[in-house]
Amino acid sequence: MQIESVWIVLAVVLVILELWAINRVRKSAGKGSNKGVWIIAIVFLPLFGLIAWALAGPKHVTQD
């Protein structure tokens, strides 16, 4: 596998993780402003935003 293919696979995995995290933030219980900050952090700081959210983000998700 060429190195370009590895980077493409890693980028796709990161995008999928970002979409999953954004969905979890959106469904979480909490203030709308806090959700907005987390979503902005996840989108504009992809890897660091995901790590920060995983460590300190909202833990409760409401059932639809």
Side-chain angles (χ1 to χ4, degrees), residues 21-22 24-43 49 52-53 56-60:
I22 289 169
R24 295 277 304 206
V25 169
R26 189 180 57 81
K27 291 182 178 181
S28 68
K31 294 180 183 177
S33 60
N34 290 343
K35 291 179 186 183
V37 170
W38 279 117
I39 290 173
I40 289 170
I42 291 169
V43 170
W53 174 76
K59 303 297 183 215
H60 302 289

Side-chain angles (χ1 to χ4, degrees), residues 11-26:
V12 168
V13 168
L14 182 62
V15 168
I16 290 170
L17 284 173
E18 281 187 4
L19 292 173
W20 175 78
I22 289 169
N23 191 37
R24 295 277 304 206
V25 169
R26 189 180 57 81

